[in-house]
Amino acid sequence: MESIRIIDIVGTAAFSIAGASAAMEKKLDVFGVFIIAFITALGGGTLRDVLVGEVPIRWLSDLSSGVIVLLSTIATIFFKTVIKDYHNILLFFDSIGLGFFTVVGIQTGISLDLHPVGCIALGTITACFGGVIRDISLSNIPLIFEKEIYATTSIFGGLVFFLLMKMGAPKMLFEVTCLVSIVVFRLLAVKFHWQLPTIWKSEKL
Amino acid sequence: MESIRIIDIVGTAAFSIAGASAAMEKKLDVFGVFIIAFITALGGGTLRDVLVGEVPIRWLSDLSSGVIVLLSTIATIFFKTVIKDYHNILLFFDSIGLGFFTVVGIQTGISLDLHPVGCIALGTITACFGGVIRDISLSNIPLIFEKEIYATTSIFGGLVFFLLMKMGAPKMLFEVTCLVSIVVFRLLAVKFHWQLPTIWKSEKL
Amino acid sequence: MESIRIIDIVGTAAFSIAGASAAMEKKLDVFGVFIIAFITALGGGTLRDVLVGEVPIRWLSDLSSGVIVLLSTIATIFFKTVIKDYHNILLFFDSIGLGFFTVVGIQTGISLDLHPVGCIALGTITACFGGVIRDISLSNIPLIFEKEIYATTSIFGGLVFFLLMKMGAPKMLFEVTCLVSIVVFRLLAVKFHWQLPTIWKSEKL
């Protein structure tokens, strides 16, 4: 991992905006908003790097990630006076981040020669766990464990990734297709309330 | 750590069943049930491996743990239509997992030449922290911090382990005795409501 | 990191007392009080060491930290019968711990040749995250994310540290000034209810 890449930048910015929006909805102070944006954007990647032993963590020595989070947070606070609709902003940027970071995580797995299942696990961890840590920090039930399809979208994108790869598609194509399919799938899932089955739903417990 | 061992398999399966039962009680969807089972079964061992620097984490490259969690989750969902009594299932399998994973954690400590206190700490972390992460994820107060004796059981088992070891008992004997004493102690503790003292109990705060 | 230093001892003892007080207020049993004291005192340093790859974690092989936590916990439980005012005890020792551990974290960053921003980040992580993990474990909203100035104090102290360092002050001077300014700033912030701005405060959400 030499220098920061476009894909990291977009994912980091998108999750920072989503995180800052969530924190503002909870009326945290400006520092709290920044910290939550940071956790949302870099938490998943940090957990991934700790699990694969890629330490010291890059954001301690390379300040570019922190700068992106800072600028995104400032932009979110600034535009908040213009745009009122937190919920849809959060959803949109969260979906973008989900797509980009799934690809980043899968790439890490491939660079470690992991089995596709391990790669998809890393993609899902990278994409989802920043949000989980954010939700736990804000005392919300993690979005990932609620009914809405979320982590499943990331896994679905990972399957698309490896399917196209096995079919011999060029790298650019299966990365972009993975990313786009995640964003589209996520937005559709929310719009049409797609849910995974809970076969024990009907019972009283 | 070459290949997965019987003791890991039983502990993983037991904690997966306990975790899946807890997740079903919260009416999560099928994917959420699997993730919570996974966190319960592998969270403690993952924290242990991160703390001792045994990375990349084994379950990223060795899929056998994930397969055990998957099969246990499917079995739990399937048998749920037959057995209604979640609470006792959770308790029973949780106790089994507690016993097996305490032994696994202590063994890790011994292989690192740690002091018995460090070994028992690793045993307790391995056995208890999957459940802590599960409870925090489900927005429950972690079981370990409630009145019921839990982590103490793991420590008690660790003391039995080293006591028999110092007395020169054969390896098989003190491992099995540690394991059995934990399961029995835990079940008795729940049945008879054993509690550690809270000397500040009587006060109003 | 050869043997434990005065600065670690004071920080560990202070955070243990703060953690034990918080746990007693929640009426945990004696073991729970010890665990929460341990998490509060060693959680931040553990996260720091995991992030920079300083593993196996020192407290697994060097039992001195654990002994300090144990003695501090026993002292807190004992004095609890004499002193009733948990809240101010918690505040005072928490401020002491905040100061000492900020300095410890910054020193770790300097020893790794990190940029001052990275050093201050490590100082803040070391000083604040034990408390965050404690609060999450006790199902409290983390203090750090509430309105009260907290992590900001740690960052402020870090700025003092590097300002004096750049000005060529002797090591002892900027370490002590950093520490004292954090404790004083924190106590003043609580006494006079200093808050960071929440520009979105006026709105109804």
Side-chain angles (χ1 to χ4, degrees):
Chain A
M1 299 227 176
E2 59 306 336
S3 68
I4 195 162
R5 299 158 308 164
I6 283 290
I7 196 167
D8 281 311
I9 295 175
V10 177
T12 304
F15 269 152
S16 298
I17 295 170
S21 301
M24 285 196 288
E25 224 170 329
K26 283 270 177 172
K27 301 198 186 180
L28 298 196
D29 65 36
V30 286
F31 179 73
V33 171
F34 171 73
I35 290 289
I36 294 291
F38 193 95
I39 286 173
T40 308
L42 300 177
T46 300
L47 179 58
R48 178 200 63 216
D49 287 346
V50 165
L51 292 180
V52 304
E54 181 114 7
V55 286
I57 288 294
R58 204 177 42 165
W59 51 258
L60 282 171
S61 48
D62 174 0
L63 302 182
S64 49
S65 299
V67 170
I68 296 168
V69 174
L70 185 62
L71 295 178
S72 307
T73 304
I74 293 172
T76 311
I77 292 175
F78 182 78
F79 282 111
K80 165 256 142 221
T81 54
V82 185
I83 305 161
K84 303 279 167 186
D85 187 358
Y86 286 111
H87 189 73
N88 279 334
I89 292 176
L90 198 156
L91 172 63
F92 179 72
F93 284 102
D94 199 58
S95 304
I96 302 282
L98 194 71
F100 276 79
F101 275 3
T102 300
V103 174
V104 169
I106 290 174
Q107 288 172 338
T108 305
I110 290 174
S111 75
L112 290 169
D113 273 327
L114 294 183
H115 186 276
V117 172
C119 294
I120 294 177
L122 274 189
T124 306
I125 288 169
T126 309
C128 297
F129 269 77
V132 170
I133 305 173
R134 172 196 64 207
D135 291 338
I136 290 175
S137 300
L138 295 174
S139 293
N140 295 333
I141 297 177
L143 196 60
I144 192 183
F145 297 123
E146 288 198 84
K147 298 257 165 47
E148 228 169 49
I149 283 179
Y150 190 86
T152 316
T153 315
S154 174
I155 293 171
F156 165 78
L159 293 176
V160 168
F161 187 103
F162 282 101
L163 206 71
L164 290 175
M165 189 194 229
K166 299 287 174 201
M167 287 165 58
K171 186 164 179 286
M172 193 51 143
L173 181 67
F174 55 72
E175 290 190 352
V176 170
T177 311
C178 165
L179 201 160
V180 171
S181 64
I182 288 174
V183 176
V184 171
F185 193 92
R186 168 91 178 118
L187 293 176
L188 289 175
V190 171
K191 185 163 175 58
F192 296 108
H193 303 286
W194 290 349
Q195 293 184 3
L196 288 180
T198 58
I199 43 172
W200 37 87
K201 195 189 283 172
S202 53
E203 274 179 66
K204 266 228 200 95
L205 282 168
Chain B
M1 300 226 177
E2 59 306 337
S3 68
I4 197 162
R5 298 158 308 163
I6 283 289
I7 196 168
D8 281 311
I9 295 174
V10 178
T12 303
F15 269 153
S16 298
I17 295 170
S21 301
M24 285 197 288
E25 223 170 329
K26 284 269 177 172
K27 302 196 184 180
L28 298 195
D29 65 37
V30 286
F31 179 74
V33 171
F34 171 72
I35 290 289
I36 293 291
F38 193 94
I39 286 174
T40 309
L42 300 176
T46 300
L47 179 58
R48 178 200 62 217
D49 287 346
V50 165
L51 293 180
V52 304
E54 181 114 6
V55 287
I57 288 294
R58 204 178 43 165
W59 51 258
L60 282 171
S61 49
D62 175 0
L63 301 182
S64 50
S65 299
V67 170
I68 296 168
V69 175
L70 185 61
L71 294 178
S72 307
T73 304
I74 293 172
T76 312
I77 292 175
F78 182 78
F79 281 111
K80 167 252 141 226
T81 53
V82 185
I83 305 161
K84 302 279 166 188
D85 188 358
Y86 286 111
H87 189 72
N88 280 334
I89 293 176
L90 198 155
L91 172 63
F92 178 72
F93 283 102
D94 200 57
S95 305
I96 302 280
L98 194 70
F100 276 80
F101 275 4
T102 300
V103 174
V104 170
I106 289 174
Q107 288 172 337
T108 306
I110 290 174
S111 75
L112 290 167
D113 272 327
L114 294 183
H115 186 276
V117 173
C119 294
I120 294 177
L122 274 190
T124 307
I125 288 169
T126 307
C128 298
F129 270 76
V132 170
I133 305 173
R134 172 197 64 206
D135 290 338
I136 290 176
S137 300
L138 294 175
S139 293
N140 295 333
I141 298 178
L143 196 60
I144 191 183
F145 297 123
E146 288 198 85
K147 297 254 167 50
E148 228 168 49
I149 282 179
Y150 190 85
T152 316
T153 314
S154 174
I155 292 171
F156 165 78
L159 293 175
V160 169
F161 187 102
F162 282 102
L163 206 71
L164 289 175
M165 189 193 230
K166 299 287 175 201
M167 286 165 58
K171 187 164 178 286
M172 193 53 143
L173 181 67
F174 56 71
E175 290 189 353
V176 170
T177 310
C178 166
L179 201 161
V180 171
S181 64
I182 289 174
V183 175
V184 171
F185 193 92
R186 168 92 178 118
L187 293 176
L188 290 175
V190 171
K191 185 162 175 58
F192 297 107
H193 304 287
W194 291 348
Q195 293 184 3
L196 287 180
T198 58
I199 44 172
W200 37 88
K201 194 191 280 172
S202 53
E203 274 178 68
K204 265 225 199 101
L205 281 167
Chain C
M1 299 228 178
E2 59 305 339
S3 68
I4 196 162
R5 298 158 308 163
I6 284 289
I7 196 168
D8 281 311
I9 295 174
V10 178
T12 304
F15 268 153
S16 298
I17 295 170
S21 302
M24 285 196 288
E25 225 170 329
K26 284 268 178 173
K27 302 198 185 180
L28 298 195
D29 66 36
V30 286
F31 179 74
V33 171
F34 171 72
I35 289 289
I36 294 290
F38 193 94
I39 286 174
T40 308
L42 299 177
T46 300
L47 179 58
R48 178 200 62 217
D49 287 346
V50 165
L51 292 180
V52 304
E54 182 114 6
V55 286
I57 288 294
R58 204 178 41 164
W59 51 258
L60 282 171
S61 49
D62 174 0
L63 300 182
S64 49
S65 299
V67 170
I68 296 168
V69 175
L70 184 62
L71 294 178
S72 307
T73 304
I74 292 172
T76 311
I77 293 175
F78 182 78
F79 282 111
K80 167 253 143 222
T81 54
V82 185
I83 305 161
K84 301 279 166 187
D85 189 358
Y86 284 112
H87 190 71
N88 280 333
I89 292 177
L90 199 156
L91 172 63
F92 179 72
F93 283 102
D94 200 58
S95 304
I96 302 280
L98 194 70
F100 276 80
F101 275 3
T102 300
V103 174
V104 169
I106 290 175
Q107 287 172 339
T108 305
I110 290 174
S111 75
L112 290 168
D113 273 328
L114 294 184
H115 186 277
V117 172
C119 293
I120 294 177
L122 274 190
T124 306
I125 288 169
T126 308
C128 298
F129 270 76
V132 170
I133 305 172
R134 173 197 62 205
D135 291 338
I136 291 175
S137 300
L138 294 174
S139 293
N140 294 333
I141 297 178
L143 196 61
I144 193 184
F145 297 124
E146 288 198 84
K147 297 255 166 49
E148 229 170 49
I149 283 179
Y150 190 86
T152 317
T153 315
S154 174
I155 292 172
F156 164 78
L159 293 175
V160 169
F161 188 102
F162 281 102
L163 206 72
L164 289 175
M165 189 194 229
K166 298 288 176 200
M167 286 165 59
K171 186 164 179 288
M172 192 54 141
L173 181 67
F174 56 73
E175 290 190 353
V176 170
T177 311
C178 166
L179 201 161
V180 171
S181 64
I182 289 173
V183 176
V184 171
F185 193 92
R186 168 91 177 118
L187 293 176
L188 289 175
V190 171
K191 184 163 176 59
F192 296 108
H193 303 287
W194 291 348
Q195 292 184 5
L196 287 180
T198 60
I199 44 173
W200 38 88
K201 194 190 282 173
S202 53
E203 274 179 67
K204 268 229 199 92
L205 281 168

